Amino acid sequence: MTNLQALQFRQSLKQWTFKAVDESEWLPATVPGTVHTDLLDNGKISNPFYGTNEKDVQWIDKKDWEYITTIDVEENVMNHSHIELVFAGLDTYAEVYVNEQHVLSADNMFRTWRADVKPYIRLGANHIRIHFRSPIMEDLPKLEALGYGLPATNDQSEVGELGDKRVSVFARKAPYHYGWDWGPRFVTSGIWREAELVAWSDVRIENVYIRQNQVHAESADLTAVVQIYSEQERQVNLRVYADGQNWEQIVTLAEGTDAVQIPLTLNNPKLWWSRGLGDAYLYTFTVEVLEQNQTLAVKSERTGIRAIRLVTEPHPDYPGTSFYFELNGVPVFAKGANHIPNDSFSPRVTLERYRHEIVTAVESNMNMLRVWGGGIYENDEFYDLCDEYGILVWQDFMFACSMYPGDEEFLDSVQAEAEDNIRRLRNHPSIVLWCGNNEIDSAWSQYVEDGGWGWKKDYNAEQRTQIWADYEALFHELLPEVVQTEHPGISYWPSSPIVAVTNNEKQHTHGITDSGDIHYWGVWHNSEPFERYNTYIGRFMSEYGFQSFPEYKSVRTYAEESDLELESEVMLRHQKNGAGNRLIKEYMDKYLPAPKEFPSFLYMSQVLQAEAMKTAIEAHRRRKPYCMGTLYWQMNDCWPVASWSSMDYYGRWKAVQYYAKRSFEDILISIDQSVSGKVDIHLVSDLIAPKSLTVRVKVLGLDGTLYKEMPQSLTLAGGEAIKVLSVTTEQLLGDVHPAEAILVAELEHEDQLIHAEIAYFVSAPELSLQQPHLQIVETEVDGVVAYQLTTDVLARQVWLSSENEGIFSDNFFDLIPGVTKTVQFKKLQTLQEVEEAAHSHVESNIVQKPVPHLPHFVPAKPEGLQIQSMADFIHLS
């Protein structure tokens, strides 16, 4: 055993049992885990995701629960000066006992909890018990004491058998546990993150923060801020090293906790870039505490070196103020989506599931995800992956769509929560913004009497004053101060959406603005047409979306064949937006041919969603640089459900994921038909370097006949968005009937087709579709199995599917007669396959550079390959 190992001891606490407090039977539990999943594993409840089972498990949150374990402590542990119980997450109201001695009270799901248990631990067997109090019964008295309910729109208290008593706002607990308009109500409890017994002596490094003061291409001015606990005053040598560089400083540690700052300068640093702009290079900084050349403590942190700022400034060419992120001096157009928790029961989210989501973002040409404020601060693995793949993270604090109390106890809890999570996450280069909350400012709308969601009318003047004062104390005072102290240099944004503060004006959101970010829900909630996306554009579109159902295979995991109708009880239970099914059908009747039965309706709903999001994304990108971000709602699901997600609970890509991949291409050609009788062709580049390009605009017949071709060559500057062609439909069509024509815009670089877009001159229901004869031929491209697709007549929305899980290089595309489309099937490697591949590469020396730790999807062969098109799902004339 090394000296360093002798100074510290860690043991995960995994072997637990649990029961309801009013019951006698102890059952095996999984830690990390939840009460709901433990009950499910023991056969005490049915799968809460299936059918209408959600309503049958609402009793769970009204009971108290106990978890117990026994840990054997040996003499080498007892000899340590400090012995602690460390809980990375307790959900939520918990009392912890060691050998029946109370050691800890917890009341915040989002905090790390530590208890000094040295006085209570004994040699040999030690009994640990955690009593979880019902979050419902704990918070109902707080609601009664307040005397009036606070707005909490998505707290589905009726589902929870509480009537109108919405108590979610009183608990520092994941808001989505109480239900949302895409998620079920499972107000769970449990040891939801790692539990450990930690013993140590003498010196411990508690935290290392690599603060980035000034970053330039020539050098990076950094500070290693090291928080150290020492049992006595002593002089030590503090050594920091990274990438072959070393820094040392003699420091005197005080007794207790001390913060030491060591200046670091990196010459010619390798900068961290977001996807599409460069490598996401990561440094590992190791801090070592030495006394007389003996190592007392060591800790490593990984980070990327980058200069990041949120730019909110006036521009002479545009009204209002900008809203964009500048990375290493380069303006970044943000492309991505909003992220919600990947499961209703967070401990079930594995590294594999995180990888699938982040690699999906990379494959879809995204560069940003917004961690939305109604979920959780995600596990470290999520941010590690974003760091590695260059995905920027907009990070909300966990507040959403509700007004919150502002008493001293609540604010103290939030401050500790914010400090814990900022300190845990601040070394991640991917985090570029801390945002106070989701939609609360716009929902309350303090400065517009008839604005917002109508909340204010339910309160008298005194109550309104207090509620808003509590809001300001939390989001305009406490949280920005914590961010400034703990993560200096990273911007804070009070609420999404919100108007920027200029000339000391009050902040509020009222309709479309020329400043700040925007959530646009006119399409969907207000039944506005898709075409509205072309005109309702702000400086940064941080939310907008459209629903669809998951595919048939996913729906059948929660529904029987007899449930497959739009208004069945099961379909309604798995549609959390009250008007959702009606709205999908309403829009489908307008934009698409009618599906022939319910499974066809599932497919058509995905096509509908994809067309909506394509319209929005490309409208936003065409308005660059006025608009500098587009994050659709939402990336993922927490259970199998009809929702706004682009991939379903099982990770299966919906049509919109493939559409997003195409519309997020780093160089985009986009057809704009928003003005009647006119067609505009736009090019957009998100790259730094210029590109020499050839544009070909073609008019084809439905049989593939070429009627017109308009080529031109040009150089597109880095970051540029331009209109390259503007013509009337009359000029394009000539004598060709609009219902018989296809508009194709192709983009070539060095004689290679890099992007293409297809559009039509009439709506989808007006096209006379025929049943295509689709042919698929297996071939080989660069040594990898591929498939070539052809058709005899126009095939719309060609859908490739396979029995084994994976994605296709392209899918849900239109196929034109005379055009051959080549696609490949890809699967995500398992962690075991990653390790085996890395080992193989190292042994055979196939590659000269290190193998990526987590690779993308890799080529594979689909099993049970099927090919269908829209004609298979509608009644043909």
Side-chain angles (χ1 to χ4, degrees):
M1 180 181 292
T2 67
N3 180 65
L4 189 59
Q5 290 173 320
L7 289 174
Q8 56 188 355
F9 168 88
R10 308 182 80 91
Q11 181 175 339
S12 293
L13 307 182
K14 296 289 188 183
Q15 304 299 317
W16 295 76
T17 56
F18 84 110
K19 72 177 184 66
V21 168
D22 59 357
E23 296 177 2
S24 57
E25 181 185 12
W26 289 94
L27 301 168
T30 299
V31 171
T34 71
V35 170
H36 284 72
T37 49
D38 285 335
L39 289 169
L40 178 62
D41 291 344
N42 284 279
K44 297 300 182 180
I45 61 173
S46 298
N47 179 4
F49 287 179
Y50 183 78
T52 62
N53 289 347
E54 176 194 2
K55 68 179 188 299
D56 298 329
V57 296
Q58 296 305 311
W59 57 273
I60 296 172
D61 61 30
K62 298 166 189 67
K63 283 181 174 285
D64 288 6
W65 300 87
E66 284 194 333
Y67 282 70
I68 62 171
T69 191
T70 299
I71 181 171
D72 287 324
V73 175
E74 298 179 355
E75 188 171 354
N76 66 306
V77 177
M78 294 297 297
N79 290 336
H80 278 288
S81 311
H82 304 269
I83 305 177
E84 291 181 328
L85 271 179
V86 181
F87 298 98
L90 292 172
D91 182 10
T92 290
Y93 298 110
E95 305 298 329
V96 182
Y97 300 84
V98 174
N99 297 324
E100 291 309 314
Q101 297 295 312
H102 183 264
V103 298
L104 176 66
S105 293
D107 62 359
N108 189 317
M109 172 183 176
F110 303 122
R111 291 193 58 190
T112 296
W113 295 95
R114 297 178 179 272
D116 178 10
V117 297
K118 174 74 172 176
Y120 313 110
I121 288 288
R122 57 195 178 211
L123 189 65
N126 289 266
H127 181 75
I128 300 172
R129 177 169 65 92
I130 305 178
H131 181 111
F132 287 98
R133 300 193 303 282
S134 157
I136 302 302
M137 307 313 290
E138 180 77 13
D139 289 331
L140 278 171
K142 298 175 186 175
L143 175 61
E144 184 176 351
L146 184 62
Y148 53 87
L150 291 170
T153 303
N154 286 285
D155 184 332
Q156 297 171 7
S157 55
E158 296 85 356
V159 175
E161 302 166 357
L162 295 175
D164 62 354
K165 296 178 179 178
R166 296 180 172 86
V167 296
S168 58
V169 297
F170 299 102
R172 289 314 299 143
K173 176 177 173 59
Y176 83 111
H177 283 179
Y178 296 82
W180 219 265
D181 58 2
W182 37 258
R185 182 183 176 95
F186 298 128
V187 187
T188 195
S189 298
I191 309 169
W192 77 288
R193 278 181 170 153
E194 291 291 337
E196 293 182 307
L197 185 73
V198 179
W200 54 281
S201 299
D202 212 12
V203 171
R204 180 178 67 170
I205 299 175
E206 296 180 341
N207 189 270
V208 173
Y209 170 37
I210 306 301
R211 191 176 70 213
Q212 304 190 25
N213 308 313
Q214 295 286 333
V215 174
H216 304 285
E218 301 79 20
S219 68
D221 171 22
L222 315 173
T223 301
V225 183
V226 187
Q227 188 171 308
I228 307 174
Y229 181 93
S230 176
E231 292 180 351
Q232 62 186 31
E233 182 178 319
R234 66 206 321 151
Q235 191 175 73
V236 297
N237 182 19
L238 211 57
R239 177 185 297 162
V240 182
Y241 47 94
D243 258 28
Q245 297 191 58
N246 292 272
W247 302 266
E248 293 191 28
Q249 185 170 310
I250 303 297
V251 299
T252 300
L253 300 179
E255 181 180 348
T257 298
D258 209 354
V260 179
Q261 299 192 19
I262 302 177
L264 316 174
T265 300
L266 277 174
N267 294 319
N268 301 311
K270 299 171 185 175
L271 299 182
W272 184 91
W273 290 95
S274 59
R275 190 219 59 79
L277 293 181
D279 292 335
Y281 190 86
L282 295 169
Y283 285 84
T284 297
F285 288 84
T286 299
V287 178
E288 194 173 4
V289 181
L290 300 104
E291 187 176 52
Q292 298 177 352
N293 292 323
Q294 180 181 4
T295 300
L296 302 182
V298 64
K299 188 175 179 63
S300 294
E301 287 288 346
R302 192 177 68 161
T303 192
I305 307 302
R306 85 285 185 266
I308 187 72
R309 70 184 186 113
L310 174 65
V311 182
T312 54
E313 299 172 347
H315 188 283
D317 296 335
Y318 303 109
T321 54
S322 62
F323 190 106
Y324 68 89
F325 295 91
E326 183 185 82
L327 177 63
N328 302 325
V330 176
V332 177
F333 188 99
K335 301 179 292 189
N338 287 259
H339 159 92
I340 67 169
N342 277 303
D343 205 294
S344 290
F345 309 112
S346 298
R348 297 204 297 203
V349 180
T350 62
L351 176 57
E352 295 281 12
R353 288 176 70 180
Y354 277 134
R355 288 179 60 227
H356 182 76
E357 180 187 2
I358 302 307
V359 174
T360 289
V362 173
E363 287 279 332
S364 303
N365 297 307
M366 295 179 178
N367 59 18
M368 177 175 276
L369 290 172
R370 174 184 173 224
V371 179
W372 164 81
I376 61 172
Y377 306 94
E378 289 293 348
N379 292 349
D380 293 340
E381 292 88 347
F382 174 88
Y383 304 96
D384 288 341
L385 287 162
C386 290
D387 292 345
E388 291 172 13
Y389 282 114
I391 299 296
L392 305 170
V393 175
W394 168 317
Q395 178 67 53
D396 282 6
F397 288 99
M398 293 303 117
F399 301 90
C401 302
S402 306
M403 301 302 287
Y404 291 86
D407 57 273
E408 184 177 358
E409 182 179 359
F410 186 85
L411 293 179
D412 286 347
S413 180
V414 172
Q415 177 165 345
E417 166 193 325
E419 290 171 348
D420 273 8
N421 284 283
I422 293 174
R423 290 170 186 170
R424 176 171 70 93
L425 301 176
R426 61 189 174 183
N427 281 317
H428 289 283
S430 53
I431 293 182
V432 297
L433 181 72
W434 290 96
C435 180
N437 68 73
N438 175 75
E439 295 188 340
I440 303 178
D441 182 274
S442 56
W444 182 262
S445 195
Q446 173 72 5
Y447 303 105
V448 181
E449 183 57 32
D450 59 349
W453 298 357
W455 287 352
K456 296 193 297 291
K457 64 180 176 55
D458 295 329
Y459 301 92
N460 62 39
E462 182 181 355
Q463 291 168 343
R464 285 172 56 167
T465 298
Q466 183 61 55
I467 291 171
W468 184 248
D470 291 343
Y471 175 91
E472 290 196 310
L474 181 53
F475 298 110
H476 289 268
E477 297 171 20
L478 189 154
L479 287 176
E481 289 175 4
V482 175
V483 171
Q484 176 60 32
T485 300
E486 302 295 338
H487 203 177
I490 299 299
S491 296
Y492 171 81
W493 193 247
S495 182
S496 178
I498 198 167
V499 175
V501 177
T502 55
N503 300 324
N504 297 317
E505 294 176 1
K506 294 290 186 180
Q507 301 193 32
H508 64 275
T509 297
H510 183 61
I512 191 167
T513 70
D514 289 308
S515 300
D517 66 315
I518 285 178
H519 294 191
Y520 172 54
W521 285 103
V523 175
W524 184 258
H525 288 304
N526 292 348
S527 298
E528 295 175 12
F530 292 172
E531 292 75 17
R532 188 79 167 101
Y533 282 131
N534 290 304
T535 55
Y536 201 109
I537 302 174
R539 308 308 293 265
F540 194 105
M541 306 301 292
S542 49
E543 264 196 42
Y544 57 93
F546 197 91
Q547 273 201 3
S548 72
F549 277 77
E551 64 182 77
Y552 176 81
K553 183 162 52 174
S554 297
V555 170
R556 286 290 277 112
T557 66
Y558 64 81
E560 299 296 328
E561 286 287 346
S562 58
D563 300 316
L564 300 185
E565 56 177 290
L566 206 53
E567 297 303 312
S568 74
E569 186 179 3
V570 171
M571 286 304 120
L572 293 175
R573 181 66 68 169
H574 287 257
Q575 167 56 274
K576 288 295 184 175
N577 180 240
N581 290 354
R582 174 186 62 79
L583 285 169
I584 293 174
K585 188 175 186 310
E586 177 184 307
Y587 277 99
M588 195 178 295
D589 290 344
K590 179 175 182 178
Y591 288 104
L592 292 176
K596 58 187 181 184
E597 21 76 350
F598 191 76
S600 297
F601 181 87
L602 302 178
Y603 162 89
M604 295 294 281
S605 76
Q606 292 200 17
V607 171
L608 183 71
Q609 177 193 31
E611 289 288 339
M613 292 300 90
K614 175 183 185 296
T615 302
I617 291 168
E618 296 193 12
H620 302 158
R621 293 192 67 189
R622 291 194 299 261
R623 287 293 304 276
K624 180 182 180 178
Y626 173 81
C627 176
M628 284 296 287
T630 178
L631 308 178
Y632 65 78
W633 183 270
Q634 66 206 63
M635 182 74 174
N636 54 328
D637 277 324
C638 69
W639 75 319
V641 67
S643 80
W644 296 271
S645 70
S646 56
M647 64 177 185
D648 71 22
Y649 173 74
Y650 300 101
R652 294 165 183 153
W653 283 28
K654 295 182 179 180
V656 68
Q657 197 72 58
Y658 290 99
Y659 267 60
K661 178 182 179 181
R662 296 193 290 262
S663 292
F664 282 150
E665 287 277 5
D666 289 332
I667 296 183
L668 173 75
I669 187 165
S670 178
I671 302 173
D672 179 12
Q673 296 170 287
S674 59
V675 179
S676 179
K678 187 179 177 186
V679 175
D680 293 332
I681 307 297
H682 293 255
L683 295 183
V684 183
S685 172
D686 290 328
L687 301 179
I688 296 176
K691 283 278 187 180
S692 298
L693 302 167
T694 298
V695 175
R696 299 186 189 278
V697 178
K698 301 176 181 178
V699 178
L700 304 176
L702 297 188
D703 61 357
T705 301
L706 177 63
Y707 290 119
K708 185 183 288 288
E709 180 173 2
M710 305 170 67
Q712 65 168 299
S713 297
L714 72 158
T715 297
L716 184 66
E720 189 176 26
I722 60 173
K723 185 191 300 182
V724 294
L725 181 66
S726 183
V727 294
T728 66
T729 55
E730 188 177 69
Q731 290 172 314
L732 287 170
L733 288 171
D735 296 331
V736 181
H737 192 280
E740 298 296 326
I742 305 169
L743 179 62
V744 180
E746 296 176 340
L747 191 61
E748 297 175 358
H749 173 61
E750 296 180 349
D751 297 325
Q752 295 293 316
L753 182 67
I754 62 172
H755 189 62
E757 183 159 337
I758 296 175
Y760 299 88
F761 296 94
V762 297
S763 66
E766 295 176 280
L767 278 174
S768 299
L769 289 183
Q770 302 175 47
Q771 183 69 51
H773 177 59
L774 293 163
Q775 289 190 316
I776 185 164
V777 177
E778 185 175 313
T779 183
E780 196 173 281
V781 177
D782 297 329
V784 175
V785 173
Y787 298 88
Q788 292 182 335
L789 281 69
T790 56
T791 183
D792 59 340
V793 297
L794 175 66
R796 294 220 61 193
Q797 299 294 338
V798 174
W799 178 33
L800 296 161
S801 59
S802 67
E803 293 174 3
N804 52 332
E805 297 295 338
I807 65 169
F808 289 87
S809 56
D810 201 2
N811 213 343
F812 290 94
F813 50 80
D814 291 358
L815 193 57
I816 301 170
V819 176
T820 299
K821 178 78 172 182
T822 302
V823 298
Q824 294 177 344
F825 180 75
K826 298 190 282 185
K827 70 167 188 173
L828 183 67
Q829 286 184 305
T830 65
L831 286 172
Q832 182 179 350
E833 288 170 332
V834 169
E835 292 170 0
E836 290 173 354
H839 184 68
S840 172
H841 280 308
V842 170
E843 284 193 343
S844 61
N845 198 29
I846 292 174
V847 291
Q848 299 301 313
K849 61 182 180 180
V851 178
H853 175 53
L854 298 171
H856 293 353
F857 290 94
V858 294
K861 191 164 184 176
E863 299 171 7
L865 178 64
Q866 286 192 350
I867 179 169
Q868 297 166 284
S869 72
M870 184 183 287
D872 296 306
F873 299 96
I874 63 174
H875 296 286
L876 296 175
S877 57

